Amino acid sequence: MPDLTYGIFVAGGVYIAMLVVIGFLSRRARRESTLADFYLAGRTLGPFVLLLTLFATQYSGNSLSGFPGQTYREGIAYYMSVTFMVGIVTGYLLFAPRLYRAARAGGLVTPSDYLAVRFRSPVLNYLSATIFTVALLNYLLAQLMAMGHATAGLTEGRIPYWLGVIGGAAIILLYELLGGMRAVAWTDALQGAVLVGGLLLAVGLLILEIGSPAAVLRQVAAVAPQKIQSPSLPLCLLWLSNFLLLFLGAPLYPQAIQRIYAARSLHDLRKAMATMALLPHVAITTVVFIGVAGIALFPVADGFNADQITFKVLAYLVDHQPLAYVPVIVIMIAVVAAIMSTADSCLLSLSSILTKDFIGRARGLDGADELWLARIAPLSSISIMLLVTAVAVRPLSSLWGLLVIKFEILIQLSPAFVFGTLHDPDDPGGYRSRDVLAGLIVGLTIALALYGTGQRQLYGVHAGVVGVAANYATCWLSHRLRGARAVPEPVA
Amino acid sequence: MPDEPRRHPLFMLLLLVCAVGTAPFLFIGSEPAIVFGLPIWLWSSIGFTLALSLLTAWGILRYWHDDPGPPDGGASEDAPGGAV
């Protein structure tokens, strides 16, 4: 196989230089020193940047290396990943229209800002901010660790894991401090473009080398027929459970909600969202195809982990296709781009939650003190990045185990947004904070108890989905009972 | 009058049908018959997933809009304009 390291160093250097240049350009575009300008790009994102930043944020490094790995393990039943990625966009329909309107009317910056305006409960504010923080810390930590592994793998150890983590973290921090959300969104646009380009190149090369999807499936049927079998009942239940988990949980990621807040207009937001609903058919089908091609090329995982199948397939292409050298390097840079674009969005959201939801609310600051909060926002980003980088360099397995449950707890905030956006804050018939808190406590307790006792799935249904079902039921019941008690006696 | 997709029960019901249909329950235990190069259960999942995404995109463009703008007939920036 030709040595890719030189090409990766050159392409990686150009890519990093472009990120830094974008950081400086976005700094020049800053308009004012406010939280909305730093964390939401002054609510000026147009449809194209919005689409690419939504895309790059939602498709992490896991989508490019984890999904093909899962397909390689489970077979084409992992087409379910296309379904649940569409489900994320469908999930927005439950609350995003009202959330966007509330964000415009109330100048909201963080997801907890909405809950503060809607429910006026300090307990719910702090609890939701804590849940968002735990979910995001996990995500950021996972991305930094993936960056360390990716750089070490791509450079064949010339850049060690720890240097990949620290270097990647430093670059992200640099452009984020320079331009805030504007820099993150603009670099996401570059990263999204590299990602789409890389995926399309991968599919084109694979079809050239090993044939059409139908031809590849014929090979799979010959070498591993169990990988195209009809899914079993537990697998179908897992399919729906995965869908529900992503449908209810993923739209609640703070970085996704903040992109709704950051849209320039509803017209732009709708265009970006509608396009996002169609993208999984291109992007995720492509990564599933890479996994299926991996089964055809390497029916037995001999001496490698299934999650490395993307790189195994790329190495095969370089060996067999003289034209593949440059495209494969683009694809490899796309993997790093996917990781960085998710990490930078997580960092920015974490910073906003620390600054606004914890520091701002603890000090009782109101709108007049926003200038002070905007000044400490970069310090929040630096503190968070230092902390997470330190953990990523020497990950503690016990901490990692705790944080893996991000979705199981994040999804428990779903009723607060879905039921919350059914009514205006002053509507006497609307849901109250006690309804939402009761559901949240029941849902969290069930999800964590199931998880803690090793029952991550019940008959294929995730612990978090069981918890959120109880959460919704409790919330609804509490609301109904209160409504029944509040009915006045009929006057004779 | 502002509108949103979840105010339309038939639309939401269709989304639900498509979402449940993506999981190939109807093909559990059946032999993977190949049609045009793909197992038939995969065609079914692809069809429902495609329907789900098209319906979602259509619902966003058709049912999600805010106030149509000033009373003089001029459209605001957020108006649906030529909404599908």
Side-chain angles (χ1 to χ4, degrees):
Chain A
M1 177 177 143
D3 185 9
L4 290 170
T5 318
Y6 177 73
I8 286 170
F9 271 110
V10 172
V14 171
Y15 173 67
I16 290 167
M18 287 170 78
L19 294 180
V20 175
V21 168
I22 289 173
F24 278 102
L25 289 174
S26 61
R27 182 178 179 79
R28 292 179 61 181
R30 284 178 71 171
R31 294 175 182 176
E32 51 192 17
S33 186
T34 61
L35 289 177
D37 196 76
F38 187 72
Y39 288 126
L40 303 175
R43 304 180 204 274
T44 57
L45 297 187
F48 183 69
V49 173
L50 200 55
L51 171 66
L52 285 176
T53 186
L54 275 167
F55 175 71
T57 302
Q58 210 161 76
Y59 291 69
S60 62
N62 184 45
S63 314
L64 279 190
S65 54
F67 286 10
Q70 283 289 98
T71 308
Y72 183 73
R73 267 189 291 266
E74 297 178 14
I76 52 170
Y78 206 67
Y79 178 78
M80 72 173 80
S81 53
V82 181
T83 307
F84 60 65
M85 293 306 273
V86 173
I88 295 174
V89 187
T90 312
Y92 283 113
L93 301 184
L94 296 180
F95 64 87
R98 292 250 185 155
L99 191 64
Y100 174 79
R101 216 175 302 151
R104 284 287 145 147
L108 311 182
V109 173
T110 68
S112 295
D113 276 349
Y114 168 72
L115 299 179
V117 169
R118 172 64 183 81
F119 293 107
R120 299 166 188 149
S121 160
V123 177
L124 185 59
N125 290 347
Y126 282 116
L127 190 55
S128 64
T130 305
I131 290 173
F132 284 131
T133 302
V134 171
L136 281 174
L137 276 176
N138 161 48
Y139 217 14
L140 180 56
L141 181 60
Q143 300 309 311
L144 288 190
M145 289 170 65
M147 189 134 55
H149 288 303
T151 46
L154 292 175
T155 60
E156 294 177 350
R158 288 185 176 93
I159 296 180
Y161 168 83
W162 65 268
L163 190 55
V165 171
I166 294 174
I171 293 159
I172 289 171
L173 194 58
L174 173 64
Y175 67 71
E176 185 167 314
L177 291 178
L178 285 169
M181 168 67 105
R182 217 171 261 109
V184 168
W186 290 2
T187 52
D188 278 356
L190 171 68
Q191 287 153 346
V194 173
L195 204 58
V196 174
L199 287 172
L200 293 179
L201 279 172
V203 168
L205 286 171
L206 278 173
I207 290 175
L208 270 178
E209 183 56 33
I210 56 174
S212 67
V216 173
L217 271 183
R218 272 198 299 278
Q219 292 181 48
V220 172
V223 296
Q226 74 280 10
K227 298 285 172 81
I228 62 163
Q229 288 288 335
S230 313
S232 59
L233 178 63
L235 195 57
C236 284
L237 288 174
L238 181 65
W239 186 309
L240 279 190
S241 180
N242 267 326
F243 181 87
L244 275 174
L245 203 63
L246 275 285
F247 169 76
L248 293 174
L252 295 178
Y253 265 128
Q255 66 269 35
I257 288 179
Q258 286 179 311
R259 274 151 182 76
I260 294 175
Y261 293 176
R264 187 175 57 194
S265 69
L266 180 57
H267 182 67
D268 293 345
L269 179 60
R270 289 184 319 153
K271 275 206 286 194
M273 284 282 188
T275 313
M276 276 293 289
L278 304 174
L279 271 180
H281 294 286
V282 179
I284 301 298
T285 304
T286 304
V287 295
V288 169
F289 182 58
I290 293 172
V292 175
I295 301 171
L297 293 171
F298 309 99
V300 181
D302 196 9
F304 66 92
N305 185 302
D307 286 332
Q308 296 170 326
I309 194 65
T310 303
F311 298 106
K312 288 288 290 180
V313 170
L314 293 179
Y316 174 90
L317 283 175
V318 173
D319 275 341
H320 292 79
Q321 271 277 351
L323 296 173
Y325 186 85
V326 172
V328 164
I329 285 173
V330 172
I331 297 162
M332 288 179 165
I333 296 297
V335 174
V336 178
I339 296 168
M340 290 183 88
S341 60
T342 305
D344 60 16
S345 306
C346 287
L347 176 63
L348 196 68
S349 286
L350 272 169
S351 170
S352 69
I353 290 169
L354 177 63
T355 306
K356 186 98 194 292
D357 295 337
F358 286 111
I359 299 174
R361 289 214 167 85
R363 294 177 61 118
L365 298 174
D366 58 23
D369 302 301
E370 186 167 320
L371 200 63
W372 182 80
L373 284 178
R375 271 207 300 271
I376 65 158
L379 293 178
S380 297
S381 297
I382 294 169
S383 316
I384 293 163
M385 199 51 137
L386 284 176
L387 172 75
V388 180
T389 305
V391 178
V393 168
R394 298 188 68 179
L396 301 169
S397 58
S398 54
L399 180 68
W400 178 245
L402 277 176
L403 292 176
V404 161
I405 57 177
K406 57 174 178 162
F407 258 125
E408 316 284 342
I409 61 165
L410 183 65
I411 196 175
Q412 305 306 330
L413 284 171
S414 173
F417 284 88
V418 174
F419 284 153
T421 49
L422 284 173
H423 304 90
D424 290 331
D426 297 322
D427 187 339
Y431 284 79
R432 291 281 168 266
S433 58
R434 76 188 82 162
D435 307 325
V436 171
L437 277 170
L440 193 55
I441 290 164
V442 169
L444 277 175
T445 306
I446 290 175
L448 292 176
L450 284 173
Y451 216 87
T453 53
Q455 293 173 292
R456 296 180 177 195
Q457 290 171 11
L458 285 179
Y459 305 104
V461 179
H462 292 86
V465 174
V466 177
V468 83
N471 182 345
Y472 266 100
T474 307
C475 195
W476 178 80
L477 206 61
S478 166
H479 175 249
R480 295 290 294 181
L481 289 174
R482 192 167 44 75
R485 283 198 300 272
V487 173
E489 291 292 319
V491 180
Chain B
M1 177 76 180
D3 196 7
E4 56 183 314
R6 69 176 174 184
R7 283 187 182 174
H8 300 269
L10 183 62
F11 170 72
M12 297 305 283
L13 184 68
L14 277 173
L15 283 180
L16 180 68
V17 170
C18 289
V20 174
T22 58
F25 284 102
L26 295 175
F27 301 90
I28 291 171
S30 65
E31 280 299 306
I34 305 292
V35 179
F36 297 116
L38 299 183
I40 194 161
W41 66 265
L42 186 59
W43 278 118
S44 163
S45 290
I46 290 172
F48 276 108
T49 306
L50 199 58
L52 181 69
S53 60
L54 287 172
L55 204 56
T56 300
W58 180 80
I60 288 169
L61 297 173
R62 176 71 180 83
Y63 291 134
W64 181 357
H65 45 85
D66 272 357
D67 293 320
D72 60 1
S76 71
E77 191 188 15
D78 282 358
V84 181

